[in-house]
Amino acid sequence: MGASLDDLVAMTVFARVVEAHSFSGAAARLGLSKSAVSTRVAGLERRLGVRLLQRTTRSLSVTPEGAQLYERCAQLLSVADEASDLLGNVGTLPEGTVRVVAPVGLALHPLPSLLEKFAERYPRVQVELSASDRRVDPLTENVDVAVRFFPRPHERSLIERRLGTEKRLICGAPSYFARRAPPHTPHDLASHNCLRLKDSKWDFRLEGHTTVVPVSGTLVVDDIAVLREAALEGLGLARLPRSLVVADLREGRLLSVLDAYAPEPLVISLVYPQRKHLPQRVRVFVDFMTEHFRKVFRGG
């Protein structure tokens, strides 16, 4: 028995609940009441005879059956969105909102300057930028484009565009090196105050292999901007993306060490859902960022 029109409506509501991680968020997006959204999802569960969502007073999670259904619903809604965009964009300039998530370091630089240029070219497109070092799944988290380091190869239903590569440098301020001699090998870091991002590891190329070297220090943070400021103040050494500190290095506010032991650079990619026809606003954003990121990182 095929899906009825009522089933299609209920599936749309269910997909929006998954993307918003809440009934209230989906209700706001759909212009419905929270109770109407809940009723639609409950009816769909009865119709299919399976539980799609696990609900508690504080959280909402998708069951394995719900995850399978969402993947199909997302494809259905994608086709519908594409059809709407194709009809609505005939003879018009790109407009609407592009939801983007990027690692904190790239959100600090170079994204702000690139977004300024993008806005000049496409003034009717609004970019919603979230800065997060967490791996975000565009398929389930209502994101149009994710900028990633080390994207997973061959992820189903996702397209990857490589933008370039990003070196990671061990940096310290001149005031720090006035107190401590620069390290000559990664093993010398044992006697240095190493400022770190939470859960990060410092790896180096040693004897032809990538090796993690234990480091410790007086500061562990979860914000790379704070890490850079601490290094600038001379508190210790920090591993920072080259793009974030290129001006500091050029003007002598920071000095890099152990460059000869640098590991393989990070691969930067744009990742977005696979679609036959991308919405115009997303397509122009992807094309613009691909072109301009490659100029910045020379990694194309």
Side-chain angles (χ1 to χ4, degrees):
M1 182 177 178
S4 67
L5 179 60
D6 194 60
D7 288 335
L8 294 177
V9 173
M11 289 177 186
T12 299
V13 172
F14 165 70
R16 297 313 185 200
V17 171
V18 174
E19 293 168 353
H21 304 287
S22 72
F23 285 93
S24 56
R29 181 174 179 182
L30 294 167
L32 300 173
S33 67
K34 182 179 177 181
S35 61
V37 169
S38 180
T39 298
R40 284 286 187 181
V41 173
L44 182 62
E45 289 178 322
R46 287 195 301 272
R47 164 83 165 80
L48 299 176
V50 296
R51 182 170 292 279
L52 302 173
L53 299 169
Q54 293 287 358
R55 312 164 180 81
T56 69
T57 55
R58 294 187 178 182
S59 66
L60 183 72
S61 60
V62 185
T63 66
E65 294 79 9
Q68 291 180 354
L69 179 63
Y70 172 75
E71 185 173 342
R72 297 295 186 182
C73 292
Q75 294 173 1
L76 178 67
L77 293 176
S78 173
V79 171
D81 287 343
E82 290 163 11
S84 177
D85 283 324
L86 286 174
L87 291 174
N89 289 328
V90 175
T92 65
L93 293 173
E95 63 177 301
T97 300
V98 179
R99 295 171 293 275
V100 181
V101 64
V104 175
L106 296 180
L108 293 170
H109 180 84
L111 267 178
S113 61
L114 296 184
L115 291 177
E116 181 180 6
K117 295 176 182 177
F118 179 78
E120 292 173 357
R121 183 178 297 185
Y122 301 106
R124 297 167 67 175
V125 178
Q126 179 185 34
V127 177
E128 289 185 2
L129 175 63
S130 298
S132 175
D133 290 323
R134 180 177 63 86
R135 178 179 286 272
V136 173
D137 184 356
L139 291 173
T140 61
E141 300 191 47
N142 197 28
V143 168
D144 294 307
V145 181
V147 186
R148 285 183 179 174
F149 293 128
F150 290 131
R152 291 193 191 106
H154 311 304
E155 286 186 275
R156 185 174 59 178
S157 302
L158 292 177
I159 294 176
E160 174 198 340
R161 277 204 192 181
R162 176 167 166 163
L163 302 178
T165 57
E166 174 76 299
K167 294 181 179 179
R168 294 164 291 168
L169 304 176
I170 306 300
C171 300
S175 59
Y176 177 79
F177 291 124
R179 305 191 307 271
R180 306 286 293 274
H184 296 294
T185 74
H187 297 298
D188 294 339
L189 293 171
S191 62
H192 280 266
N193 191 32
C194 297
L195 319 175
R196 293 165 291 137
L197 286 174
K198 187 177 181 181
D199 299 326
S200 68
K201 296 179 180 179
W202 287 21
D203 54 326
F204 298 91
R205 293 291 293 179
L206 291 170
E207 300 179 352
H209 301 284
T210 300
T211 302
V212 174
V213 174
V215 296
S216 62
T218 58
L219 181 66
V220 178
V221 300
D222 60 3
D223 187 322
I224 202 165
V226 174
L227 191 66
R228 170 180 169 269
E229 288 298 323
L232 286 169
E233 290 297 321
L235 185 59
L237 301 179
R239 167 165 277 179
L240 297 165
R242 182 184 181 279
S243 63
L244 184 62
V245 297
V246 62
D248 298 321
L249 295 169
R250 184 176 60 246
E251 297 173 16
R253 293 188 294 268
L254 289 174
L255 304 173
S256 65
V257 295
L258 303 178
D259 294 350
Y261 299 92
E264 291 297 316
L266 299 172
V267 175
I268 307 170
S269 292
L270 282 182
V271 178
Y272 52 95
Q274 187 170 3
R275 295 180 177 182
K276 186 175 181 180
H277 299 290
L278 273 180
Q280 189 184 26
R281 63 188 183 277
V282 177
R283 178 175 53 78
V284 296
F285 179 85
V286 168
D287 290 344
F288 182 93
M289 289 298 159
T290 300
E291 174 190 355
H292 287 77
F293 253 97
R294 287 175 176 171
K295 290 179 181 177
V296 172
F297 288 96
R298 310 287 184 189

